[in-house]
Amino acid sequence: MSDDITTETADTVAAGQLRAFIERVERLEEDKKTVSEDIKEVYAEMKANGFDTKAVRSIVRLRKKDQAERQEEEAMIDLYKAALGME
């Protein structure tokens, strides 16, 4: 009987822990949705003010990378462009 109680208690604890994890993920997903909507609004505001949002997105993406990674990517793009006669 003691083993049954121990197993039942462990199952209850595991279920409670699982529920807590799932609820945290759900809250974070909602936060992520809100942040995504806020970012979309900022891009819309930029566009309304005459900024090229495609260029801005490229700059944001580049700023996430460190300088060495950016330089490597730019060098590779230049190499490919030269190979295609685009320079």
Side-chain angles (χ1 to χ4, degrees):
M1 182 79 172
S2 178
D3 287 339
D4 290 341
I5 292 171
T6 304
T7 302
E8 186 176 314
T9 302
D11 290 345
T12 302
V13 170
Q17 189 177 28
L18 178 60
R19 184 176 296 108
F21 281 132
I22 290 171
E23 289 170 355
R24 281 176 53 199
V25 168
E26 289 170 341
R27 282 191 303 275
L28 290 169
E29 288 288 345
E30 186 60 37
D31 291 349
K32 185 169 78 170
K33 180 181 173 190
T34 301
V35 169
S36 181
E37 290 169 357
D38 291 346
I39 291 170
K40 186 177 178 181
E41 288 176 17
V42 171
Y43 278 109
E45 189 177 338
M46 277 191 275
K47 187 172 186 172
N49 282 286
F51 290 97
D52 182 331
T53 56
K54 186 175 179 180
V56 171
R57 287 179 191 277
S58 293
I59 291 170
V60 169
R61 191 172 49 256
L62 287 171
R63 286 174 51 108
K64 289 179 184 178
K65 301 176 182 180
D66 64 32
Q67 185 176 0
E69 187 178 3
R70 257 193 329 268
Q71 288 174 338
E72 182 180 327
E73 183 177 322
E74 289 169 359
M76 192 60 65
I77 290 170
D78 289 342
L79 176 67
Y80 289 171
K81 285 169 54 178
L84 296 171
M86 296 175 64
E87 295 225 345

